[in-house]
Amino acid sequence: VQDAFEAILKSCFRVIDDVKESVAVAGQSLARAISSLAVRLTDAQSTKSVDSKEFLGVMFPLLTSVGLGSDVPVIRAWCIDMLAKLTKSAGKEAVQQSMQVIVPPLLEALSGMEDARLNYLEQHVQRLGVDGDRFAEARIRYAQSSPIADTLDLCSKHVTGQTFCDLSGMLISFIRKAVGTATKSGTATFIVASVRRLGSEVKPVSFSMMKALHEASALERSASVRRGYASAYANLSKYAPRSKMDTTVDTWLSQCKQEDADQDAVLLTGIMLKAISSEASDVFLRYADDLAPLAFLLKYEVTSGDDAGSATHAVTDGTDKKPEPKPTPAATMWEAVWEEVTTATGSGVRGHVAPVTAVLLEALSSSHWGRKKAAGRGIVVLGETAGDILGDHLDAIVDGLLRSLSGR
């Protein structure tokens, strides 16, 4: 049936959802027969390897381009089921040969096969009293439990270093241009699974993918997708050129030290560093001492509303009790980075007194009130924690505090 198989499959697609029940039943019967034949033709025990590869060279493109591109839900569902079965029954070499054909449509299908009502709910989560991030996480978990995600996971187990490098261009395109939370998250998950298995074989494309992941994360609004991209970035960082990684981290720290640093960029840097500490601890340890003073400062930044609101709150309440300052999202993330730094280096404030003091004094002279206030809060904790070790820096700290009193 090889010569006629394409025509048979397309005919099946036309009748499987026919409005006439008897025709639809016949089409579904044909679909079952095709499914049974296809699995048998791809089974290594039933079919020669050469014949199996030749058959999959015809079957996979039809399922992905014609089947998944159909507007009929039952056809798309049948094609997903067939892709899952054939990927499991086919040999490793046969799947590797068809990776460029299988993976892109499956990634697109993660979002394309979702219930359209989820898009409506996403636009109204706040009105419905549902947390947007939790909704996105639930949506991603649902997509990751689907047969599509299972097939992608199996593909990641068959991928080779060369195949991954060949797929890198497509993956970078998905990172930058993909539409749909599930597709974005699925792309990150596929990269993570592949990199963990391949290790140093991904080195030729590691930094180019890292660059795309960081740029996409800067534009991404979904916290769940950002975490997925950060995890992929961290896994790739283990195999990136050290000189480029050094330059990247130096750039991040320089941007975060600026008085008018964009808070979203500061938050993103914290997310990336936290992911690196979890997924690539050796890489994180190289920069731990450089990160320590800045992390200690940034974890004390609070939202601007809390700066001016405390005094007003005290007056209206008729009490002297001030409300607890609320840390910024970036501060919360950098506090997690600080905890990772202290774990990695085996020392806390007392082990980083000199660099922490220098950064706090620099921030204390800042013209930015939020940064100045964070420095003040940091100095309080430094004084309470460092104790007698602070002696050599005490004069400089007192001078800095006295000079800051002349301002606001």
Side-chain angles (χ1 to χ4, degrees):
V1 298
Q2 178 179 338
D3 296 336
F5 194 82
E6 182 175 348
I8 293 173
L9 187 60
K10 289 182 178 179
S11 297
C12 178
F13 288 159
R14 283 196 296 271
V15 301
I16 197 172
D17 191 47
D18 197 274
V19 292
K20 191 173 182 179
E21 184 178 358
S22 60
V23 176
V25 169
Q28 292 164 11
S29 178
L30 176 60
R32 287 193 294 271
I34 291 173
S35 177
S36 177
L37 174 63
V39 171
R40 189 166 67 251
L41 289 175
T42 55
D43 188 352
Q45 296 180 348
S46 305
T47 309
K48 294 180 181 180
S49 176
V50 176
D51 294 335
S52 177
K53 290 180 182 178
E54 186 176 354
F55 171 72
L56 288 174
V58 175
M59 191 64 173
F60 276 145
L62 285 172
L63 291 174
T64 54
S65 62
V66 180
L68 292 183
S70 172
D71 294 330
V72 182
V74 67
I75 293 177
R76 294 200 304 269
W78 183 81
C79 288
I80 290 296
D81 182 63
M82 281 300 303
L83 284 169
K85 289 180 178 178
L86 295 181
T87 306
K88 289 178 182 178
S89 62
K92 183 177 181 180
E93 293 182 3
V95 175
Q96 289 172 353
Q97 187 178 9
S98 303
M99 202 74 74
Q100 294 271 14
V101 178
I102 304 171
V103 174
L106 286 176
L107 288 173
E108 290 179 342
L110 282 171
S111 291
M113 295 285 285
E114 282 186 319
D115 192 320
R117 290 173 293 184
L118 290 174
N119 295 324
Y120 174 83
L121 289 174
E122 184 180 30
Q123 297 173 2
H124 297 85
V125 287
Q126 292 184 346
R127 183 173 62 83
L128 296 172
V130 179
D131 182 80
D133 289 339
R134 292 183 63 184
F135 178 81
E137 289 176 3
R139 191 173 183 176
I140 290 171
R141 284 197 301 270
Y142 176 78
Q144 292 300 322
S145 64
S146 67
I148 303 173
D150 292 341
T151 306
L152 283 168
D153 183 62
L154 185 59
C155 289
S156 71
K157 294 175 181 176
H158 289 331
V159 73
T160 64
Q162 183 58 53
T163 307
F164 185 81
C165 291
D166 293 340
L167 287 170
S168 63
M170 176 275 297
L171 293 172
I172 288 174
S173 178
F174 269 82
I175 291 167
R176 287 177 168 158
K177 301 177 182 179
V179 177
T181 301
T183 294
K184 294 175 183 178
S185 179
T187 303
T189 301
F190 181 82
I191 293 172
V192 170
S194 299
V195 172
R196 285 176 176 171
R197 198 179 65 79
L198 296 172
S200 60
E201 293 182 62
V202 306
K203 190 172 183 179
V205 296
S206 59
F207 193 74
S208 60
M209 296 188 76
M210 289 166 62
K211 184 178 179 182
L213 285 163
H214 188 270
E215 291 173 353
S217 297
L219 300 174
E220 181 59 48
R221 298 299 94 190
S222 169
S224 300
V225 174
R226 269 190 166 185
R227 286 192 293 270
Y229 283 174
S231 178
Y233 188 101
N235 278 275
L236 287 163
S237 70
K238 292 183 281 189
Y239 311 106
R242 180 161 182 167
S243 58
K244 291 186 177 180
M245 198 65 202
D246 291 346
T247 302
T248 298
V249 174
D250 287 343
T251 302
W252 287 353
L253 297 184
S254 297
Q255 291 174 344
C256 291
K257 286 179 181 178
Q258 295 176 5
E259 295 181 357
D260 57 347
D262 179 65
Q263 282 297 301
D264 191 63
V266 176
L267 171 61
L268 177 60
T269 299
I271 292 172
M272 290 294 181
L273 291 171
K274 180 65 173 66
I276 292 173
S277 71
S278 301
E279 305 284 353
S281 56
D282 291 343
V283 176
F284 183 80
L285 186 59
R286 295 205 303 256
Y287 310 107
D289 289 333
D290 295 329
L291 293 171
L294 185 61
F296 186 81
L297 168 66
L298 293 179
K299 75 191 187 90
Y300 290 113
E301 291 199 339
V302 296
T303 56
S304 58
D306 292 320
D307 294 338
S310 59
T312 304
H313 191 286
V315 172
T316 54
D317 282 357
T319 67
D320 293 332
K321 185 177 180 180
K322 295 182 179 180
E324 188 67 25
K326 182 180 179 182
T328 63
T332 302
M333 184 55 62
W334 276 92
E335 184 172 10
V337 173
W338 168 256
E339 291 174 358
E340 294 295 333
V341 166
T342 56
T343 301
T345 60
S347 59
V349 177
R350 294 173 68 87
H352 301 91
V353 169
V356 165
T357 301
V359 167
L360 291 177
L361 289 176
E362 181 181 354
L364 201 60
S365 61
S366 170
S367 60
H368 188 274
W369 174 242
R371 185 60 58 87
K372 185 189 289 285
K373 187 171 183 179
R377 290 168 58 81
I379 288 174
V380 171
V381 176
L382 181 66
E384 294 173 346
T385 309
D388 56 343
I389 301 179
L390 200 60
D392 295 338
H393 309 281
L394 198 56
D395 291 341
I397 292 174
V398 172
D399 288 343
L401 288 170
L402 291 174
R403 282 197 300 272
S404 67
L405 289 175
S406 59
R408 179 177 172 185

